[in-house]
Amino acid sequence: MIISRAYKEGSRIMHRVFVYGTLKRDEPNYYVLQKCDYGHAEYVGRAVTCDKYPLVVATRYNIPFLLSKCGTGKNVEGELFDVDDSMLASLDKLEGCPSWYSRLSIPIVLTTDGHDNRLEVPVRQNVQVYLLENYKKELLDRVMLTDYSSKGQHNLPYDSAWYVRVEEWGLIHTVINSIVICYYYLC
């Protein structure tokens, strides 16, 4: 069964978004999905990409990146959220979309429900995900992960010093760190 990536809930449009890094529950940026000021988000369940992608940790801040190189890497595990237009705009701002990441539609398989109970019949659907399309090819030489945790076995703890929180603007990257990260690691 294939489900569309956007649907209507009452009077608002909802978008199904796959998160694989610091936006997952119990990760440093999950608070964004919980903050009502940024919009509405609802946890749907755990999911895995149908295709393989390189999920790597890079930069001195140990940022997880999902590289837009379908067919390379591993099937990536993550979480699915339904978000409204406001939350999607907040996520775009956090991810620097479209100048940093691209938000694209990919197929995933939903494996649990919103209470993390395993589904008897996994559901395949197209959802939106943030992929890094412009990156240095050396990132493909890094260890590729199946599942990311900021305190994971990779021994590369996430360092949130690379951005600042500005409540009236949402989450905004610092200009200097964005330039440094882009210059040394991605561009």
Side-chain angles (χ1 to χ4, degrees), residues 17-120:
V17 178
F18 177 78
V19 298
Y20 53 83
T22 62
L23 283 166
K24 293 190 314 184
R25 295 171 302 153
D26 298 322
E27 293 297 338
N29 290 330
Y30 175 57
Y31 80 92
V32 173
L33 289 164
Q34 295 177 302
K35 190 160 176 138
C36 295
D37 293 352
Y38 294 147
H40 177 77
E42 185 175 330
Y43 176 68
V44 176
R46 293 201 46 82
V48 63
T49 60
C50 292
D51 298 311
K52 294 179 179 182
Y53 287 92
L55 173 59
V56 300
V57 177
T59 78
R60 67 182 222 166
Y61 302 105
N62 299 323
I63 299 168
F65 296 104
L66 192 60
L67 307 179
S68 184
K69 183 121 174 108
C70 185
T72 299
K74 300 182 179 189
N75 296 91
V76 176
E77 297 175 11
E79 297 175 348
L80 219 51
F81 287 86
D82 283 341
V83 301
D84 65 8
D85 287 336
S86 281
M87 181 60 74
L88 190 63
S90 296
L91 294 177
D92 282 352
K93 189 178 291 185
L94 170 70
E95 300 293 359
C97 180
S99 58
W100 186 295
Y101 280 95
S102 297
R103 183 168 31 87
L104 303 170
S105 179
I106 67 166
I108 59 91
V109 174
L110 180 64
T111 57
T112 72
D113 64 18
H115 301 288
D116 286 335
N117 298 312
R118 190 142 282 320
L119 296 177
E120 288 183 33

